[in-house]
Amino acid sequence: MVRIDPRTFEALALPDVDLLMPSVPAARNSTRFWDLCNKADAVGVRAKPADSPSNVSRPKSGLMSVYIDFERLLNCPQFTEFVTERIEKARDEAKAESKTGLPTFRYDNCKIVLISAYEAEKPGFAERFGELRPILGLEDAQLVPVTFDESPLPIDITGHDDVLVFSLGSVTSWNMRQLLTRVQEAWRPLAGKRMHGLVVHARPQTLREWENLFNSFERRLHALWRTFLPWRDPLDEEAKALKELPTEGLTEAAAAYLHLRKNLLNPRLQAWAPRVEEHDAACVSPLCANTDERPSQQPEATIPAGLCEDLNPRSVLWGLPPYGGSRQLRRQSLYGYEARALTAYAAIGAAIHERRQLDSDYDPRRRVFDMPSITRSYYDAIIIAGILRWLEPQEAWWGHSEGEATNAVNELLTRTSDQAELRVLVPELLYAASQGKMPRAAAELLQAEAEALAANWDPDHRGPTELGLALLANAWVDTASGN
């Protein structure tokens, strides 16, 4: 890839690469948030946005790539503990750095707190906010829920110099902007007023979006946790790839797994909470307890006997239980303590997308993620698989030559001796290779190794790997035919 000068049509720079890694600071700053999400089982995928007023600012169609269920978070016993810990850490950082500009999350001068009525009505909100009042210096503040209609604010704020706008979550920032505008209108033309904003978890798509909102609050806006997540949905890309895969010639195990993945990626229930509640109520297999993944029995497909009827909606990666793969990350990691695959998937996506925010238009190099370094830095199959899921094909760099790429893949497979890790890693590598995220020579090595490994696995565990092999073979057919 070479940048071209549109005036002379000459190359601006040699096609060198700038090697990137997922953002370690971003992951470290959000680890406890993902720990909380993991405890509350609060992460969803392929989900319809919550039916809130902010839907007017979202695309009219499409599902969220990552959904955070704040009702589950609010009703998690550790919610107040984790939020308090985050606030105290921020205060310690501000004291250590002696910088008054760092947020300390105390709002003693704010006697009015405005919040969207939609959030204020969430089950558990009143209890959790009551517990946070003394921590935030809001013991005497009045909480005022606001509806976004034509009516004025339900309280006269002209006599107050400081007002806090509070929100549990912010994706498009629509709620925050609406509350900001209502306060500005109520204060006009009075001067000398200070508006403050506090978000528990902000997840804008880009740094520019957050900076625009930050400046609107005159730099008095802060988030306890901030992550960046793109609108792009890797699972939507999988759905399209599986839809285009010919079914002729598939093994019985691959056909069964293909059927299950299609059902999972095109959910009958688009709202996340009803989908997982329906699954959990119907599930009787211990393999499927809570967030452990499982396949299904459908008339169109043959699957291992004794397993539940549908893949668990949380089965974000291939090969997860009951297909013999790992259930969760190994103990402590940047992406959460023993985080299950779905939580780790969201945390990894945020770390990768935050690294993208540091992109510079002044750097002509092609910015890519350094897969050889990534595979040597992370020893968990779920982490490596999650990184590959979130990367686009042009971002996955395996070395300057096919030999370097082949060595990196061979080293990764050789180092991974745990069979549960391999049952996730191998099919996910095959799927990534079929999407153009791996050079041909490395993919050929992977293909041979995958065939040898799958031949020694229990037949009930072969479906994901055999489907990955079929996708890779079909991708090569398409390439040869010029499609």
Side-chain angles (χ1 to χ4, degrees):
M1 181 182 296
V2 184
R3 291 194 178 190
I4 300 298
D5 187 325
R7 296 162 297 186
T8 64
F9 297 100
E10 295 181 352
L12 289 174
L14 294 175
D16 200 359
V17 292
D18 183 17
L19 303 180
L20 310 178
M21 296 284 285
S23 175
V24 171
R28 185 176 292 117
N29 291 338
S30 301
T31 299
R32 294 297 278 168
F33 174 74
W34 298 116
D35 280 337
L36 178 61
C37 287
N38 195 61
K39 289 180 180 295
D41 191 21
V43 178
V45 288
R46 301 285 288 162
K48 177 183 177 182
D51 190 16
S52 72
S54 65
N55 280 347
V56 299
S57 65
R58 299 175 183 271
K60 299 303 179 184
S61 60
L63 304 176
M64 295 185 72
S65 60
V66 174
Y67 174 80
I68 305 298
D69 189 336
F70 269 95
E71 288 190 18
R72 286 180 179 259
L73 285 180
L74 287 170
N75 289 283
C76 177
Q78 290 86 10
F79 179 83
T80 303
E81 174 192 343
F82 277 51
V83 171
T84 302
E85 176 190 295
R86 175 69 187 97
I87 292 172
E88 291 175 348
K89 181 179 179 182
R91 289 171 180 164
D92 290 341
E93 290 172 351
K95 186 182 297 183
E97 296 187 26
S98 300
K99 292 182 179 179
T100 57
L102 291 177
T104 57
F105 302 112
R106 281 204 70 87
Y107 303 95
D108 301 83
N109 294 330
C110 297
K111 303 306 178 184
I112 299 294
V113 180
L114 301 181
I115 185 173
S116 161
Y118 170 80
E119 289 194 333
E121 293 167 359
K122 285 185 178 293
F125 174 80
E127 293 80 1
R128 299 292 87 77
F129 188 77
E131 294 166 356
L132 293 176
R133 277 180 178 273
I135 303 163
L136 297 170
L138 298 171
E139 296 95 324
D140 301 325
Q142 180 180 355
L143 182 66
V144 182
V146 179
T147 57
F148 300 118
D149 50 27
E150 299 297 327
S151 62
L153 287 176
I155 187 173
D156 183 9
I157 64 171
T158 55
H160 296 271
D161 292 334
D162 293 87
V163 169
L164 174 64
V165 174
F166 182 84
S167 180
L168 291 171
S170 176
V171 180
T172 65
S173 75
W174 189 88
N175 283 346
M176 296 294 289
R177 290 188 182 281
Q178 292 298 309
L179 292 169
L180 169 72
T181 302
R182 299 290 288 278
V183 173
Q184 289 173 334
E185 290 174 349
W187 272 346
R188 187 180 296 136
L190 301 178
K193 306 292 188 179
R194 293 175 296 275
M195 188 164 9
H196 307 264
L198 176 61
V199 185
V200 175
H201 176 233
R203 46 162 294 187
Q205 181 178 212
T206 65
L207 179 59
R208 183 177 293 276
E209 291 176 7
W210 178 252
E211 288 177 338
N212 289 341
L213 184 63
F214 185 67
N215 291 330
S216 297
F217 275 82
E218 297 182 348
R219 308 180 70 81
R220 287 189 289 269
L221 169 69
H222 300 291
L224 293 177
W225 290 286
R226 187 191 68 188
T227 60
F228 294 98
L229 284 164
W231 286 105
R232 166 180 164 259
D233 186 357
L235 295 182
D236 184 56
E237 295 165 4
E238 181 191 339
K240 293 175 182 176
L242 296 182
K243 183 179 179 180
E244 297 170 358
L245 177 67
T247 57
E248 297 83 5
L250 292 180
T251 65
E252 184 177 351
Y257 195 65
L258 172 64
H259 176 76
L260 297 175
R261 291 300 299 184
K262 284 183 175 180
N263 285 350
L264 181 142
L265 298 170
N266 298 280
R268 176 177 55 83
L269 296 175
Q270 294 192 335
W272 180 251
R275 197 191 314 168
V276 295
E277 288 166 4
E278 180 184 75
H279 165 271
D280 293 348
C283 179
V284 295
S285 169
L287 285 172
C288 308
N290 190 21
T291 58
D292 298 334
E293 293 69 8
R294 58 181 173 78
S296 74
Q297 180 73 47
Q298 298 286 350
E300 300 87 350
T302 302
I303 63 161
L307 298 177
C308 296
E309 294 184 354
D310 296 304
L311 268 176
N312 190 317
R314 307 174 182 92
S315 297
V316 68
L317 301 175
W318 289 12
L320 299 174
Y323 286 97
S326 307
R327 285 182 170 86
Q328 62 193 34
L329 299 182
R330 306 171 190 168
R331 299 190 66 77
Q332 188 61 48
S333 78
L334 289 172
Y335 306 108
Y337 180 79
E338 295 184 343
R340 293 181 289 270
L342 180 51
T343 305
Y345 169 82
I348 291 164
I352 288 174
H353 201 53
E354 176 134 346
R355 189 65 187 84
R356 293 187 183 115
Q357 304 313 302
L358 303 178
D359 211 345
S360 171
D361 291 335
Y362 302 103
D363 190 337
R365 294 175 298 173
R366 181 162 61 101
R367 297 171 71 81
V368 293
F369 284 84
D370 185 357
M371 287 308 302
S373 293
I374 286 171
T375 57
R376 292 171 188 137
S377 299
Y378 296 104
Y379 288 79
D380 198 300
I382 290 175
I383 294 178
I384 295 172
I387 290 172
L388 283 168
R389 282 281 181 161
W390 284 103
L391 295 187
E392 296 186 50
Q394 71 276 10
E395 293 180 311
W397 185 87
W398 289 87
H400 288 288
S401 67
E402 288 191 341
E404 288 183 33
T406 302
N407 289 339
V409 172
N410 183 59
E411 180 184 339
L412 173 61
L413 293 173
T414 302
R415 188 190 68 203
T416 309
S417 57
D418 186 277
Q419 292 298 303
E421 298 269 322
L422 284 169
R423 289 190 181 98
V424 173
L425 181 63
V426 171
E428 283 290 335
L429 285 172
L430 288 167
Y431 170 70
S434 74
Q435 300 303 296
K437 299 180 183 180
M438 185 183 296
R440 176 69 179 253
E444 289 175 347
L445 168 70
L446 171 65
Q447 180 189 44
E449 293 292 331
E451 290 172 347
L453 286 167
N456 294 318
W457 287 345
D458 188 294
D460 290 353
H461 297 159
R462 294 176 188 169
T465 296
E466 291 183 356
L467 179 58
L469 287 166
L471 272 172
L472 182 58
N474 184 66
W476 288 342
V477 170
D478 288 344
T479 301
S481 63
N483 293 334

